[in-house]
Amino acid sequence: MSEKRKIVPKADATPPFYVGVDLGGTNIKLGVVDDLGQSLSALSIRTQPEKGPEDAIKRMAAAVGDAISKAGLTHDDIAWLGLGSPGTMDIPAGLLISPINLKGWDNFSICQRMADHTGLPIAFSNDAAAAAYSEYWIGSGRAFHSMVLLTLGTGIGGGIIIGDLSIVGENSHGAECGHIIINDADDARLCGCGQRGHLEAYASATAVIKRTREALDAGRESSLAKRLADGAVLTPKLVAEAAAAGDHLSLKIVDDTARYLGVAITSLMHTIDPNGVLLGGAMTFGGKGSKLGRHFLAQIKREIDRRAFPLLAERIVLDFASLGGDAGYLGAAGIARLEHRRQGGTTGRGAGNGES
Ligand SMILES: [Zn+2]
């Protein structure tokens, strides 16, 4: 879905320069990014969370050094470092509280330790908020004034950008769109957060696999049964392939997922009234380049048309995110840039001073 990111040479780049770091449970992606959102370098290392946060911080800081030299720069050339991380977190305190994918990293002062190791000022953000900011800055959302990104993966992340501001909230969890309630029944599906009836429990990749498995176990006819018997692994991609080939059950799974998303997005529209809503993350059902991906978007829109204020339904733009797996580090750099510019009295997403 996302094109391979072009690396620009220093001579074609526009200072100031930022480092963006996207800390994930499996990999850490990072790179040097210029004032226009162009990458001067990009690399990825394994997180190995089981070795503990201090070990990871050392390797992360070394990788930051590598990314800076690969870009032909020195630490002195870097204005700010942006760090995007999964929650739960306390953003003003620069603290990881209890991150689900980073077991044993509880109450870790990640920003202070990164600053100790790199000597750079650190802008901390939620990983989905960072991804949202990159789409707003240089991706599918660059024409929007306000937008929501939902990242569909193991869970559902959310990022809300309004007028060049990434919404953080009073307690650092202001955009947990995956936990919007779409079913208030006592036996509603159980979410990864421990509560029931949240969007994530219905429309994440994990939920899609679970719902498909339940339907197959209940004896629903599907070409998936043979694929699985032949040793295929049940994934949203497998469901998408079967749906694209005309499998009724798989298509129903895709349509139900769209319906759940449509319900949640309607609530977001009635709360925020954004220009656009983007879908990112690994689960795209083929994305914009496929008939099924476009059908998925159209089904979400159909649900919105049924439920939202007509004016909002008419004007909302639904699209897929465009920066793929690079969105996290690019957005972390973007949020670092935002912080740097705010301190210098500049606002707006345009390049250089004064433009807004
Ligand atoms: Zn939840």
Side-chain angles (χ1 to χ4, degrees):
M1 177 177 78
S2 70
E3 74 281 22
K4 185 96 185 86
R5 184 136 295 273
K6 203 174 110 201
I7 299 293
V8 302
K10 184 177 146 187
D12 296 341
T14 304
F17 301 112
Y18 304 91
V19 174
V21 180
D22 179 22
L23 169 62
T26 310
N27 294 305
I28 301 166
K29 290 191 86 169
L30 66 157
V32 173
V33 177
D34 77 353
D35 198 43
L36 306 177
Q38 306 182 103
S39 292
L40 284 81
S41 65
L43 57 99
S44 177
I45 61 170
R46 306 284 291 171
T47 310
Q48 301 178 291
E50 68 285 353
K51 290 186 174 174
E54 287 294 349
D55 180 84
I57 285 287
K58 274 190 209 129
R59 288 181 292 108
M60 237 153 89
V64 167
D66 291 346
I68 293 171
S69 28
K70 264 177 84 175
L73 302 172
T74 70
H75 270 74
D76 290 344
D77 297 315
I78 305 300
W80 275 69
L81 182 148
L83 174 62
S85 152
T88 52
M89 67 222 301
D90 181 335
I91 289 175
L95 189 72
L96 289 176
I97 296 175
S98 185
I100 294 166
N101 295 328
L102 300 168
K103 291 259 181 297
W105 289 39
D106 296 10
N107 302 312
F108 180 59
S109 289
I110 192 163
C111 288
Q112 185 56 55
R113 297 303 287 141
M114 266 309 264
D116 293 344
H117 279 275
T118 62
L120 293 167
I122 314 284
F124 193 32
S125 56
N126 174 276
D127 52 3
Y133 190 78
S134 67
E135 294 292 342
Y136 169 85
W137 182 24
I138 53 172
S140 294
R142 57 190 183 277
F144 300 150
H145 298 114
S146 55
M147 56 160 269
V148 177
L149 171 75
L150 299 175
T151 59
L152 309 180
T154 309
I156 295 184
I160 300 172
I161 312 295
I162 299 173
D164 209 34
L165 192 71
S166 170
I167 299 301
V168 172
E170 191 61 32
N171 301 289
S172 307
H173 296 276
E176 294 287 1
C177 310
H179 305 275
I180 282 183
I181 295 169
I182 61 165
N183 183 348
D184 74 337
D186 288 342
D187 63 348
R189 288 180 183 276
L190 192 60
C191 184
C193 73
Q195 301 283 359
R196 288 187 183 275
H198 296 181
L199 175 66
E200 179 174 301
Y202 290 80
S204 63
T206 314
V208 164
I209 293 167
K210 190 155 188 275
R211 286 194 284 111
T212 309
R213 173 66 66 193
E214 285 171 6
L216 292 170
D217 288 349
R220 292 285 308 275
E221 207 173 294
S222 166
S223 62
L224 286 172
K226 178 159 188 333
R227 294 288 306 272
L228 297 176
D230 289 346
V233 178
L234 184 54
T235 60
K237 194 160 175 279
L238 192 76
V239 174
E241 283 168 20
D247 180 62
H248 284 288
L249 173 67
S250 299
L251 193 57
K252 182 172 180 341
I253 295 284
V254 172
D255 288 354
D256 286 348
T257 307
R259 199 176 75 246
Y260 299 135
L261 285 164
V263 170
I265 290 170
T266 301
S267 284
L268 288 164
M269 288 164 60
H270 289 152
T271 313
I272 300 161
D273 185 7
N275 271 167
V277 176
L278 301 178
L279 300 179
M283 191 177 80
T284 60
F285 295 125
K288 208 175 180 174
S290 80
K291 201 174 153 203
L292 183 71
R294 290 191 297 274
H295 168 84
F296 179 51
L297 281 188
Q299 290 296 106
I300 296 173
K301 182 62 173 42
R302 207 172 89 136
E303 194 63 26
I304 291 169
D305 288 343
R306 283 185 55 213
R307 293 177 182 268
F309 287 177
L311 176 81
L312 303 189
E314 193 185 302
R315 294 190 180 170
I316 191 75
V317 181
L318 279 184
D319 201 353
F320 287 106
S322 63
L323 300 171
D326 293 333
Y329 88 82
L330 291 167
I335 287 175
R337 172 180 175 270
L338 205 57
E339 205 53 52
H340 180 226
R341 284 158 71 87
R342 251 190 222 122
Q343 298 209 346
T346 311
T347 55
R349 73 187 126 184
N353 291 325
E355 188 187 332
S356 63

